C-alpha cells in the first residue's frame, strides 16, 4: 500500500479512488443495497469488483445509512458518512 508521502513525492504513481454512492432510502426497492443476492448484500458485489480490479488505491462507499457503511467496511471498502440532505432522491452524481 502506498503512503501519502510516497504519493506526494511521485504523483505519477498515484492510483485513483473508487467512489460508490449508496443511499439508504431507495424509493423503488427499499434498502436495495443491503438486500441479499445469492446470500450476499448487493453492495458487496460492487465493492468486491472494484477491489478485484486492482485499479484503485481505495474503494470508498459514501452513504447516509449506518447499515450500508457497516456492510461496506466488512467488504473491504472505506465507509464515508454523508449527510442525508446531500443525497436526495433526484441527486445527480
Amino acid at each position: 500500500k502506498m503512503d501519502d508521502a510516497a504519493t506526494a513525492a511521485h504523483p505519477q504513481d498515484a492510483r485513483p479512488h473508487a467512489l460508490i454512492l449508496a443511499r439508504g432510502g431507495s424509493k423503488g426497492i427499499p434498502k436495495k443495497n443491503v438486500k441479499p443476492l445469492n446470500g450476499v448484500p448487493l453492495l458487496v458485489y460492487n465493492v468486491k469488483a472494484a477491489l478485484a480490479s486492482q485499479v484503485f488505491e481505495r474503494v470508498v462507499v459514501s452513504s447516509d445509512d449506518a447499515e450500508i457503511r457497516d456492510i461496506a467496511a466488512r467488504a473491504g471498502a472505506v465507509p464515508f458518512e454523508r449527510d442525508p440532505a446531500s443525497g436526495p432522491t433526484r441527486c445527480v452524481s
Side-chain angles (χ1 to χ4, degrees):
K1 181 176 175 173
M2 297 169 42
D3 65 18
D4 291 336
T7 301
H10 302 285
Q12 70 276 8
D13 295 333
R15 293 185 298 159
H17 291 189
L19 177 60
I20 299 171
L21 306 175
R23 288 179 56 239
S26 171
K27 285 187 172 186
I29 303 173
K31 301 287 266 183
K32 70 180 170 197
N33 291 300
V34 300
K35 293 253 189 239
L37 178 64
N38 294 324
V40 178
L42 190 59
L43 173 68
V44 172
Y45 288 97
N46 294 311
V47 170
K48 294 294 186 186
L51 290 169
S53 75
Q54 298 184 351
V55 171
F56 304 107
E57 178 70 22
R58 287 190 181 102
V59 176
V60 179
V61 174
S62 173
S63 183
D64 58 343
D65 185 277
E67 183 180 15
I68 290 172
R69 292 190 308 272
D70 181 57
I71 289 169
R74 286 186 279 137
V78 177
F80 177 80
E81 182 177 0
R82 75 166 182 250
D83 185 328
S86 68
T89 301
R90 299 188 64 94
C91 183
V92 178
S93 52

